[in-house]
Amino acid sequence: MLLKDYIPNLPKKYKDIFFSGVAFDSSKVKRNNIFFAIKGNRLDGNHFINMAIKKGAKIIISEEKNIKVKRDIIFLKFQNVRKLLAEISYKIYLRRPKKMIAVTGTNGKSSIADFYYQILDFNFKKVASIGTIGIRYNENKKPLNNTTLDPIQLASILKDLKKKNIENVIMETSSHGLKQNRLDGLSFDIAIFTNLSHDHLDYHKNMKDYLNSKLYLFNKLTKRGGDIISDSTIPQIERIRKIAKQKKIKLSLISSKKEGIELLSHKFENEKQLLSISYKNKKYFTYLNLIGKIQIKNILMAVLAANKSGLKVDKIISKLHKIKSVEGRLEKIGKIKNNSKVILDYAHTPAALELALYNLKEQFPYSKINLVFGCGGNRDFEKRSIMGKIAEKYSYQIYLTDDNPRNETPSKIRNDIKMGIKNKKIIEIPDRKKAIQEAIKNLKSGDLLLVAGKGHEKSQDYGIKKLFFSDKEIILKSIKQKNKFLSNNLKINIINEESNHRISSNQIIKNISINSKIVQKNDIFFAIKGNRLDGNKFVDQAFKKKISYAIVNNINKNCPSSRQIKVKNSLNFLTKCASTFRENINAKIISITGSCGKTTLKEMIGNTLKKVSKTTFSPKSFNNKFGVPLSLFNLKQNDEFGIFEVGMDKRGEIDSLTKILKPDLGVITNISYAHSKNFQNIKKIAEAKAEIMNNIKKNGIIVLNMDDNFYKYHEKTALKKKLKVISFGIKNKSSTVNLKSFRKIKGKYE
């Protein structure tokens, strides 16, 4: 190779000088190499010039003026050595995949790159990704040290991928890599900008420099006529729009009907997300098996990018349900028998931590969120107290631990974090392994644990030593240990957690009962003190019928004490257990109230749904503070529907009962003077019945009687609570469902 073919504006005497390769690490220099003396943050390559010459370098390139070298060594001064190194490296390794894609931004890079990779892979496109998680192609995965590699290493990898006939390469591009010109000499067909938030200010010093480093990708490295993909809602969008116009680059946006793709509707269904999407005036319906609404933005950017890579949108969307979470990015790890969940995430910035916690709270509103986290050493000190404040805002319990302390004193880092936490109880466990183990051990049914900060990383940096360390591995081992003491029966786990008792995980439990007369073998008997009778007096009678356990207010000395669980108030205990059980099952709950027809309607709905699905409905008129929690706790874990009648004698009772039930759908049959002894007038009855709407789940439904005098009042209440209203009527023909006509045929009605 001759210098004139690789370096512009050379003096004539150097043009035909031969060189064998390039290096910027003196230990890797080979005979006749060019050595690039780069001044870094920690080391200065100019101090290693003599070592490079000893190893065989014959050309030295530096930004310094006064470098003295031997007469037979060529010294060249350049203003930007890093940039020149990158440009020469990509020229030497000229062959590279046909389509180059870059993803930049503070958060979401890895997820977008991985989702994009998966979409292309599902559609049989030859693709590779390079970034934080490593190099991925075909079935191969190889870890890397940096998000954006040095140009020599990257150029070699790109040439190797081309040899493997891979034509699409998706690269994460960090602000460090862009500012240090590591990608100069490459030209990108598609460039994606995710967002910008507080990070890396220890390096960039201010947000302006941080943003300009990111925008370098679009200003200098994206092809004319190429594509930029971004988000219409981010503050930086006008800067990006301006660059796209100046550079004649096409711009496609998420959250924009006119310029790209738009999310029309979204609904959580436990761990699934149901979506309706609009693209070029066409609607698409799909679902994701991913945790966190933020994943939708990442998915939509990946959809646009895949479309620009030559795939039709309908083909892309048909595969979205197959996409798996990215390693260490809102990734659910393992399965715990009590329905608690452990989520692993790389969140190590204030914005990323808040986003992860907010997304978990939004998707699992009834779960208590526990958090294991710390902050890295020798990095952005300002963010520590900010992250402490965010942790306190969203978490039920904080386990404060070490992240990568590097060369800082770990206790100082933790103290900096605690400056932002004012009132929350903190469990401080420096040993990260022990912190994770303790947090998982303490998880109750339905609880969530977010282990944040390190994500996919496989080491922990203590400055003088780097230890092998995998959050994921510790989580999986801790879950395995926890599951040894848990039952497959969720009801047993809940009773044990709420009572600090230990019912055997193998114990057979049939039903829950509060009636010693009808209790059966293997039932659990709740000895409840009622208005007339005290169930605690009938515990011995229940044991004669071979019950498994009794929940009592006082231990009965005539019965086996090991099978009695003493609680302060057995009704309150039943109610708490039933409520927790409700929060941990997937059944759709239908709750019915009204002055007349509740029981009949419940029986009709229950028997109808039973024909087509797994359904349980409350027996007889189990519609009060005893019957509702009892019926709810008797639902089966795999039921698809639960139907409940809700009654009242006074104001506040329906609100109290539906707080336990958390219905997906409510029904008010009608309002009349039935059971009106505790109400001043019929309006007060209507108001009390309206309490059913207080606790219907978000985006839930209320069914109302349009023939009823209080329809308008109930409809107004429902709309205030953002419930969908479905009306029915016989007289009123404008209702959603109405009776057109009927006729009698042989004693039946059609």
Side-chain angles (χ1 to χ4, degrees):
M1 294 178 286
L2 302 178
L3 284 182
K4 67 180 179 180
D5 297 325
Y6 293 88
I7 300 178
N9 305 318
L10 269 176
K12 191 174 181 181
K13 61 180 178 178
Y14 295 136
K15 286 192 175 183
D16 292 322
I17 298 292
F18 168 82
F19 73 97
S20 61
V22 293
F24 66 93
D25 181 343
S26 59
S27 66
K28 293 179 181 177
V29 169
K30 293 180 181 176
R31 186 174 174 79
N32 292 328
N33 271 190
I34 302 175
F35 177 66
F36 289 79
I38 294 172
K39 189 173 183 177
N41 294 327
R42 291 186 300 111
L43 298 173
D44 185 348
N46 292 287
H47 297 158
F48 298 88
I49 288 172
N50 289 333
M51 186 186 291
I53 292 168
K54 282 180 185 176
K55 296 274 286 184
K58 73 171 189 178
I59 301 159
I60 306 297
I61 296 179
S62 173
E63 291 172 9
E64 300 288 336
K65 284 182 182 177
N66 305 313
I67 300 291
K68 292 181 180 179
V69 293
K70 296 176 184 177
R71 285 185 184 179
D72 56 338
I73 302 297
I74 297 166
F75 175 79
L76 299 172
K77 182 189 174 297
F78 273 85
Q79 192 174 352
N80 192 332
V81 176
R82 289 181 185 275
K83 184 176 171 66
L84 184 64
L85 169 65
E87 289 168 348
I88 292 176
S89 299
Y90 298 125
K91 272 187 183 178
I92 291 171
Y93 296 96
L94 189 60
R95 296 190 71 219
R96 65 184 67 105
K98 185 178 176 184
K99 208 166 195 76
M100 299 286 292
I101 302 111
V103 188
T104 198
T106 308
N107 301 312
K109 295 187 294 294
S110 299
S111 294
I112 291 168
D114 196 87
F115 294 157
Y116 187 179
Y117 175 97
Q118 289 185 60
I119 291 168
L120 294 188
D121 192 46
F122 290 145
N123 286 279
F124 309 106
K125 292 258 187 185
K126 295 209 167 187
V127 59
S129 66
I130 303 170
T132 313
I133 295 167
I135 305 172
R136 184 180 177 191
Y137 61 92
N138 301 331
E139 298 300 316
N140 301 300
K141 271 187 182 181
K142 182 185 173 186
L144 295 171
N145 292 327
N146 297 316
T147 301
T148 308
L149 300 168
D150 72 71
I152 300 171
Q153 191 182 4
L154 180 57
S156 175
I157 288 167
L158 292 173
K159 184 180 178 182
D160 188 50
L161 291 172
K162 177 70 177 176
K163 278 184 187 176
K164 292 176 168 59
N165 297 315
I166 288 166
E167 293 299 351
N168 297 275
V169 174
I170 306 158
M171 290 175 51
E172 292 178 53
T173 55
S174 68
S175 57
H176 291 65
L178 289 163
K179 189 175 175 69
Q180 293 172 5
N181 302 105
R182 290 183 222 162
L183 299 173
D184 284 54
L186 292 177
S187 185
F188 293 96
D189 302 271
I190 301 169
I192 302 170
F193 185 89
T194 64
N195 50 56
L196 193 86
S197 65
H198 186 116
D199 197 17
H200 303 305
L201 296 191
D202 55 311
Y203 177 76
H204 291 286
K205 307 306 176 193
N206 58 61
M207 291 297 287
K208 184 180 177 182
D209 183 67
Y210 184 32
L211 174 60
N212 288 336
S213 299
K214 295 286 188 188
L215 295 181
Y216 188 82
L217 172 64
F218 312 109
N219 271 315
K220 300 293 183 184
L221 305 178
T222 305
K223 284 181 182 174
R224 188 185 181 93
D227 289 279
I228 294 174
I229 292 164
S230 193
D231 179 353
S232 68
T233 65
I234 61 173
Q236 300 79 23
I237 195 60
E238 290 310 314
R239 287 280 303 273
I240 293 168
R241 200 187 294 279
K242 190 177 177 182
I243 293 167
K245 190 176 179 181
Q246 286 173 346
K247 303 289 178 183
K248 293 187 166 43
I249 304 168
K250 298 186 287 292
L251 179 64
S252 298
L253 302 173
I254 66 166
S255 308
S256 172
K257 185 179 180 180
K258 188 179 174 183
E259 296 176 280
I261 196 165
E262 185 180 27
L263 178 69
L264 297 177
S265 68
H266 169 269
K267 188 179 178 184
F268 291 118
E269 201 168 84
N270 196 21
E271 291 178 32
K272 281 185 183 178
Q273 301 189 59
L274 312 181
L275 316 180
S276 167
I277 298 165
S278 170
Y279 181 72
K280 291 186 176 176
N281 296 317
K282 189 175 177 183
K283 282 186 184 179
Y284 299 89
F285 298 92
T286 187
Y287 68 91
L288 305 176
N289 285 305
L290 298 171
I291 288 172
K293 194 174 180 181
I294 184 59
Q295 304 282 27
I296 297 169
K297 283 192 171 188
N298 300 333
I299 285 282
L300 293 182
M301 284 194 184
V303 167
L304 284 176
N307 180 239
K308 301 299 178 187
S309 296
L311 289 175
K312 290 182 179 178
V313 169
D314 55 348
K315 274 195 165 186
I316 296 167
I317 289 174
S318 70
K319 305 287 186 185
L320 292 185
H321 67 280
K322 289 186 172 183
I323 287 180
K324 294 178 181 175
S325 61
V326 184
E327 187 181 1
R329 305 304 191 276
L330 286 176
E331 180 187 10
K332 183 188 169 189
I333 309 293
K335 189 172 182 181
I336 306 178
K337 289 179 184 179
N338 70 352
N339 201 41
S340 55
K341 297 174 181 67
V342 183
I343 312 296
L344 180 62
D345 195 77
Y346 190 49
H348 57 279
T349 68
L353 183 64
E354 182 155 32
L355 205 56
L357 289 166
Y358 177 82
N359 273 256
L360 293 176
K361 194 71 186 166
E362 186 182 28
Q363 189 162 355
F364 306 102
Y366 303 112
S367 295
K368 289 175 181 172
I369 296 178
N370 300 270
L371 174 65
V372 172
F373 91 114
C375 285
N378 307 116
R379 300 284 190 275
D380 199 349
F381 307 108
E382 288 179 16
K383 73 179 183 182
R384 295 173 186 174
S385 63
I386 299 169
M387 290 176 74
K389 192 174 182 180
I390 290 164
E392 180 177 38
K393 180 180 176 182
Y394 291 97
S395 308
Y396 171 75
Q397 180 68 69
I398 298 168
Y399 295 85
L400 191 58
T401 191
D402 290 348
D403 189 283
N404 289 317
R406 299 185 178 92
N407 294 307
E408 263 196 271
T409 305
S411 59
K412 183 193 176 298
I413 299 171
R414 296 194 300 275
N415 286 334
D416 288 348
I417 295 168
K418 284 190 283 187
M419 293 292 287
I421 304 170
K422 303 300 178 189
N423 304 312
K424 187 75 67 174
K425 183 187 170 191
I426 303 168
I427 298 176
E428 190 170 349
I429 306 174
D431 186 313
R432 192 174 179 90
K433 180 180 178 180
K434 287 180 181 175
I436 293 170
Q437 288 171 335
E438 185 67 15
I440 291 173
K441 179 185 163 189
N442 293 338
L443 286 176
K444 290 187 174 183
S445 294
D447 284 358
L448 263 175
L449 173 65
L450 175 65
V451 180
K454 291 175 60 59
H456 63 284
E457 291 179 353
K458 300 291 188 293
S459 66
Q460 192 170 20
D461 189 344
Y462 277 89
I464 55 170
K465 57 182 178 178
K466 266 194 177 184
L467 308 171
F468 172 80
F469 193 95
S470 164
D471 280 359
K472 188 171 184 175
E473 190 176 291
I474 292 160
I475 291 166
L476 286 169
K477 284 179 180 176
S478 301
I479 288 174
K480 189 177 180 182
Q481 182 65 23
K482 185 178 182 72
N483 278 337
K484 287 179 183 177
F485 301 98
L486 291 174
S487 171
N488 290 319
N489 187 328
L490 186 57
K491 293 175 188 178
I492 290 177
N493 294 328
I494 291 169
I495 291 169
N496 282 341
E497 289 163 4
E498 296 300 331
S499 66
N500 292 317
H501 196 80
R502 183 55 59 198
I503 297 177
S504 166
S505 59
N506 300 318
Q507 178 69 54
I508 297 169
I509 302 291
K510 193 176 177 186
N511 286 310
I512 310 300
S513 179
I514 61 173
N515 190 336
S516 61
K517 289 181 181 177
I518 62 169
V519 76
Q520 295 180 4
K521 184 181 178 182
N522 293 326
D523 284 357
I524 291 187
F525 175 64
F526 277 74
I528 290 172
K529 189 174 183 179
N531 297 327
R532 292 185 299 109
L533 298 171
D534 183 353
N536 290 280
K537 294 178 180 178
F538 300 94
V539 172
D540 53 348
Q541 187 177 320
F543 270 109
K544 284 174 186 175
K545 295 192 176 182
K546 298 185 178 177
I547 61 168
S548 294
Y549 277 84
I551 311 295
V552 299
N553 298 146
N554 296 295
I555 298 294
N556 189 312
K557 293 177 182 177
N558 299 321
C559 303
S561 58
S562 61
R563 288 163 60 200
Q564 295 179 71
I565 300 172
K566 186 183 174 184
V567 297
K568 192 173 181 180
N569 183 309
S570 49
L571 176 58
N572 290 349
F573 186 79
L574 172 61
T575 303
K576 181 71 176 77
C577 289
S579 182
T580 303
F581 184 65
R582 165 65 183 118
E583 290 163 6
N584 285 281
I585 56 173
N586 295 324
K588 300 288 183 189
I589 299 295
I590 299 173
S591 186
I592 304 160
T593 195
S595 297
C596 310
K598 297 188 294 293
T599 306
T600 304
L601 182 59
K602 178 199 66 185
E603 298 286 327
M604 289 175 73
I605 296 172
N607 282 304
T608 302
L609 285 174
K610 218 167 186 179
K611 300 281 185 186
V612 293
S613 64
K614 292 172 182 173
T615 301
T616 296
F617 54 97
S618 54
K620 300 176 185 176
S621 295
F622 276 38
N623 62 9
N624 61 10
K625 65 180 180 180
F626 304 108
V628 169
L630 176 65
S631 301
L632 180 58
F633 208 26
N634 269 323
L635 251 61
K636 297 173 187 68
Q637 268 174 251
N638 61 349
D639 272 342
E640 295 167 77
F641 291 96
I643 323 297
F644 298 90
E645 177 186 341
V646 181
M648 67 170 196
D649 283 323
K650 57 188 176 186
R651 190 164 187 158
E653 287 185 335
I654 289 177
D655 180 59
S656 178
L657 293 173
T658 51
K659 271 193 177 92
I660 306 165
L661 288 171
K662 299 177 182 67
D664 297 275
L665 181 147
V667 183
I668 301 176
T669 59
N670 50 52
I671 303 299
S672 75
Y673 276 106
H675 311 294
S676 61
K677 61 182 179 181
N678 293 323
F679 295 92
Q680 295 170 344
N681 54 52
I682 197 166
K683 174 77 189 303
K684 297 293 183 186
I685 296 172
E687 289 172 357
K689 296 294 184 186
E691 290 173 8
I692 195 171
M693 291 185 264
N694 293 348
N695 301 301
I696 292 175
K697 282 189 173 181
K698 191 178 178 182
N699 301 318
I701 301 166
I702 184 72
V703 179
L704 298 174
N705 184 350
M706 202 178 245
D707 293 339
D708 194 83
N709 291 332
F710 289 92
Y711 172 77
K712 285 290 181 188
Y713 165 70
H714 284 147
E715 181 190 40
K716 188 178 177 181
T717 304
L719 295 176
K720 272 185 185 176
K721 295 178 183 296
K722 297 182 180 177
L723 299 175
K724 182 180 178 183
V725 176
I726 296 176
S727 59
F728 67 92
I730 294 174
K731 296 174 189 173
N732 201 317
K733 300 301 179 186
S734 62
S735 57
T736 316
V737 180
N738 59 75
L739 182 65
K740 295 286 185 187
S741 64
F742 68 94
R743 61 182 176 175
K744 191 174 182 180
I745 304 172
K746 294 180 181 177
K748 294 183 181 180
Y749 289 90
E750 183 182 85

